[in-house]
Amino acid sequence: MERLKLKGRIIEKYGSVRRFADHYGTTPQTVNKVIRGDFTPTGISLAGWLSVLDIPKDQAIFFFGESLEN
């Protein structure tokens, strides 16, 4: 499941969802919505997530799933 990869990357880079949220300037609730697939960042927001998590743009689908294709 792609979203588990996303959570794994967040934990790997920041140690917790809360630390990532604090660093990125959002709430843990928003991060958890993205992890669950209830919300997918787009445009500038997606670029920000990819940047702070060191995910190359061409690998985004592996972390954010098929929702990026829509």
Side-chain angles (χ1 to χ4, degrees):
M1 176 175 221
E2 296 88 4
R3 301 299 173 143
L4 292 178
K5 290 178 186 176
L6 177 59
K7 185 172 184 179
R9 177 60 66 100
I10 289 169
I11 300 302
E12 174 188 341
K13 300 283 294 173
Y14 292 92
S16 72
V17 168
R18 176 171 293 285
R19 284 188 187 139
F20 171 73
D22 289 345
H23 176 82
Y24 189 70
T26 191
T27 66
Q29 292 83 359
T30 298
V31 176
N32 284 318
K33 284 181 182 180
V34 174
I35 291 169
R36 285 193 313 264
D38 295 340
F39 174 75
T40 300
T42 58
I44 294 171
S45 179
L46 177 61
W49 280 67
L50 296 175
S51 176
V52 298
L53 291 171
D54 296 325
I55 298 172
K57 187 176 181 179
D58 65 340
Q59 293 182 16
I61 195 162
F62 298 115
F63 292 88
F64 291 91
E66 294 175 3
S67 60
L68 291 180
E69 294 178 344
N70 297 330

